[in-house]
């Protein structure tokens, strides 16, 4: 699966999470922003929205 942070445009490491599904909350390890997974495409592309501006 692949998730690009909408804030800093870096790839978010999803390997830290045992499962990723719609509604899951993830933190970008580069900029610290909190994201909520909206959708996972069949190709493995993860779409997320910002729910907290972070640090």
């Amino acid at each position: 699966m692949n998730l690009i942070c909408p804030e800093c445009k870096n790839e978010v490491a999803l390997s830290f999470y045992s499962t990723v599904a719609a509604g899951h909350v993830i933190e970008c390890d580069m900029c610290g922003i909190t994201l909520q997974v909206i959708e996972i495409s069949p190709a493995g592309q993860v779409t997320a929205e910002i729910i907290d501006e972070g640090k």
Side-chain angles (χ1 to χ4, degrees), residues 2-43:
N2 184 24
L3 171 61
I4 302 299
C5 177
E7 181 71 17
C8 68
K9 308 300 185 221
N10 286 298
E11 187 169 348
V12 178
L14 297 175
S15 60
F16 296 119
Y17 303 94
S18 59
T19 60
V20 176
H24 197 96
V25 175
I26 295 173
E27 183 175 306
C28 176
D29 51 328
M30 295 297 282
C31 69
I33 206 160
T34 304
L35 306 166
Q36 183 172 25
V37 175
I38 302 301
E39 177 184 29
I40 302 173
S41 74

